Amino acid sequence: MLATFALYARQALLVAYILLGVLLGPSALGWVGDPELIHDIAHIGIIFLLFLMGLELKPRDFLYLMKKTTVVTLASSIIFWSAGAALAFGHPLLEAALIGAALIFSSTIVGLKLLPTTVLHHQRLGEIIISILLLQDFIAIALLVLLEGSGAAHNPMLEFAKLAAAVPLLILGAWGFSRYVLLGLLGRFDTIREYIFLIAIGWCLSMAEAAAALGISHEIGAFVAGVTLAANPISLEMSENLKPLRDFFLVMFFFSLGAGFDLGMLGTVALPATALAALTVFGKPVVFGYLLQRGGEQQHRAREVGARLGQMSEFSLLIVVLAVGKGQIGEQAGYLIQLATLLTFLASTYLVVFRFPTPIALSDRLRRD
């Protein structure tokens, strides 16, 4: 019903999902008593999203792009962290540092969900966005490892060393299994569509779990699983089969974001959260656009990439949950980051949907799927 009203009012459906979560969550009608459970279910959507992105990226092209975007990602991370920490000057030092860190990351879900799936538009633009987002994922994982290890008995440096060893181990294991086992099975039974569907789900989730067991994120494991099959023609059918499943879980993700927010904190954090969101939504496109142009990208593409990355991230929310749980930041700072993230999701979606081609555009001229 709310989606129908949103379309009549020419609003993006992502906005409807978040607002419905707020309306039905514990701080409003209270119909949803456990938003964390919904968030855990919704996390599967992110895993499928990364798997499908991996299916569309050939390993050689991806490695080439990673080399080009490493400098952009590192330079932008330093700029955003400094700007966010400076804006949070009234908070204690550690809180200001973590607020700045939350600003570093752009949303994998928003960035990729709004990408057109038509090959001609998506290929180059999508590859740049995906490579930047994955490099940010590695930075986020390193930060989460550092937060997890702070004050604990184990040595954070040892955890970093384990992480550095785990990534090539995961890639090597995925490549070996896909080449010597998976592709053989797919070649033998590729006429049975249900089998391909089951293999796709099993391979995606197995690699996600393998990555988590090695201390890496589920998302990176799923992406590696997709990349190992990208060169095979069967990847196209896998991608088409899994899209409805992915979309269902992504609806749950945006709903869970709204359901998890406490409206009682709104008055306290509204003003600083709006300032942080404005810095993100208007600052990130400028910084990314400038850095990408300096790196040799065409001006129109650099600007579009910057606009599509102009929001905070689900990793920002993970950092908040972990830091609040460990007492490293207070509840008020936690809700500040949560509200700022939600505001950037909403504002960034509007800016992209009304200016660039997307699968959920409200005008026929910009709708690409």
Side-chain angles (χ1 to χ4, degrees), residues 224 291 344:
V224 170
L291 292 173
T344 62

Side-chain angles (χ1 to χ4, degrees), residues 105-222:
F105 313 107
S106 298
S107 173
T108 301
I109 290 187
V110 175
L112 299 188
K113 185 173 176 61
L114 298 184
L115 269 179
T117 53
T118 48
V119 173
L120 287 178
H121 185 91
H122 166 80
Q123 195 167 24
R124 177 67 179 177
L125 184 79
E127 287 171 350
I128 295 170
I129 290 174
I130 291 166
S131 58
I132 291 173
L133 288 171
L134 280 172
L135 286 169
Q136 288 184 350
D137 282 359
F138 281 111
I139 296 172
I141 291 165
L143 180 58
L144 290 170
V145 168
L146 186 63
L147 288 174
E148 190 69 58
S150 60
H154 60 270
N155 186 350
M157 295 307 296
L158 180 61
E159 296 302 313
F160 282 125
K162 288 180 181 177
L163 185 65
V167 173
L169 181 63
L170 179 74
I171 293 171
L172 188 63
W175 175 80
F177 189 85
S178 65
R179 178 170 181 178
Y180 295 109
V181 179
L182 211 57
L183 293 179
L185 292 172
L186 288 170
R188 184 175 178 84
F189 301 113
D190 62 355
T191 56
I192 304 172
R193 297 191 66 181
E194 186 176 350
Y195 184 72
I196 295 170
F197 180 69
L198 291 173
I199 284 285
I201 293 176
W203 180 234
C204 169
L205 297 181
S206 297
M207 283 299 298
E209 283 298 310
L214 290 170
I216 315 169
S217 72
H218 290 91
E219 293 85 354
I220 289 176

Side-chain angles (χ1 to χ4, degrees), residues 65-343:
L65 270 166
M66 289 286 270
K67 292 177 184 176
K68 290 198 69 174
T69 55
T70 298
V71 174
V72 171
T73 306
L74 292 177
S76 62
S77 297
I78 294 170
I79 292 169
F80 300 141
W81 177 80
S82 304
L87 195 64
F89 64 90
H91 292 261
L93 187 60
L94 182 57
E95 282 192 359
L98 287 173
I99 291 171
L103 213 68
I104 291 175
F105 313 107
S106 298
S107 173
T108 301
I109 290 187
V110 175
L112 299 188
K113 185 173 176 61
L114 298 184
L115 269 179
T117 53
T118 48
V119 173
L120 287 178
H121 185 91
H122 166 80
Q123 195 167 24
R124 177 67 179 177
L125 184 79
E127 287 171 350
I128 295 170
I129 290 174
I130 291 166
S131 58
I132 291 173
L133 288 171
L134 280 172
L135 286 169
Q136 288 184 350
D137 282 359
F138 281 111
I139 296 172
I141 291 165
L143 180 58
L144 290 170
V145 168
L146 186 63
L147 288 174
E148 190 69 58
S150 60
H154 60 270
N155 186 350
M157 295 307 296
L158 180 61
E159 296 302 313
F160 282 125
K162 288 180 181 177
L163 185 65
V167 173
L169 181 63
L170 179 74
I171 293 171
L172 188 63
W175 175 80
F177 189 85
S178 65
R179 178 170 181 178
Y180 295 109
V181 179
L182 211 57
L183 293 179
L185 292 172
L186 288 170
R188 184 175 178 84
F189 301 113
D190 62 355
T191 56
I192 304 172
R193 297 191 66 181
E194 186 176 350
Y195 184 72
I196 295 170
F197 180 69
L198 291 173
I199 284 285
I201 293 176
W203 180 234
C204 169
L205 297 181
S206 297
M207 283 299 298
E209 283 298 310
L214 290 170
I216 315 169
S217 72
H218 290 91
E219 293 85 354
I220 289 176
F223 179 78
V224 170
V227 170
T228 57
L229 298 177
N232 192 288
I234 203 71
S235 63
L236 296 174
E237 186 166 351
M238 282 187 172
S239 180
E240 287 303 312
N241 285 341
L242 286 183
K243 279 180 181 176
L245 200 59
R246 171 204 67 182
D247 289 342
F248 168 74
F249 284 110
L250 290 183
V251 170
M252 296 289 282
F253 173 82
F254 288 106
F255 176 84
S256 70
L257 285 184
F261 188 76
D262 183 1
L263 290 176
M265 295 294 293
L266 197 59
T268 309
V269 299
L271 190 59
T274 302
L276 199 63
L279 175 65
T280 304
V281 172
F282 298 110
K284 281 194 173 185
V286 173
V287 172
F288 276 121
Y290 173 76
L291 292 173
L292 286 167
Q293 284 185 64
R294 289 293 301 267
E297 284 300 323
Q298 296 177 6
Q299 186 180 46
H300 71 91
R301 185 180 291 124
R303 287 180 175 176
E304 185 172 347
V305 170
R308 289 178 180 274
L309 294 175
Q311 69 287 125
M312 292 167 71
S313 167
E314 49 279 1
F315 273 116
S316 306
L317 302 175
L318 286 176
I319 289 168
V320 168
V321 170
L322 186 58
V324 170
K326 288 187 165 290
Q328 293 159 335
I329 63 174
E331 272 201 358
Q332 184 174 333
Y335 278 110
L336 164 64
I337 297 173
Q338 285 186 47
L339 180 58
T341 303
L342 288 177
L343 291 175

